[in-house]
Amino acid sequence: MPDEHVPVLQSMGAAILLLTAALWVFALYTFARRGHFGPIPGLAVVRGPRVLPRRRQSAPHIEFVELTPAERAAFAGLVRQLSDGRRGVRRRRA
């Protein structure tokens, strides 16, 4: 027989592991039935408060600010300053 060479502690360990797994599955089933993990699809059709807001049907209002010629020139200078030396060079994404 193959069981005669298995130590007693190893057999007890396997039995305890099997019992623990069965208790764990039973506890998960019990918690799920009581609603600890939220509703189970098909068991209860109770509507609770919405967690996420409803999606908008229209786009949000877009703000627009008119720039003065001096501000426009300053912005163009800033863009040129930041883009110097980077023409044709693409950064790699990590």
Side-chain angles (χ1 to χ4, degrees):
M1 277 178 115
D3 286 338
E4 65 189 30
H5 298 294
V6 177
V8 174
L9 289 177
Q10 189 175 0
S11 298
M12 286 176 51
I16 289 171
L17 183 63
L18 183 64
L19 180 64
T20 304
L23 287 174
W24 181 74
V25 168
F26 177 74
L28 280 180
Y29 176 76
T30 304
F31 283 164
R33 292 285 293 180
R34 291 185 183 170
H36 289 283
F37 298 126
I40 298 176
L43 290 181
V45 187
V46 177
R47 291 281 181 170
R50 293 184 60 89
V51 177
L52 297 175
R54 293 189 184 269
R55 293 181 72 180
R56 291 181 174 205
Q57 297 298 328
S58 62
H61 176 70
I62 297 174
E63 293 185 16
F64 180 75
V65 177
E66 192 68 39
L67 298 178
T68 65
E71 290 172 329
R72 205 173 287 130
F75 183 73
L78 178 63
V79 169
R80 277 192 302 275
Q81 180 183 358
L82 292 176
S83 65
D84 279 349
R86 293 189 181 207
R87 292 190 188 266
V89 178
R90 290 187 179 177
R91 285 196 273 173
R92 292 185 183 175
R93 291 186 180 182

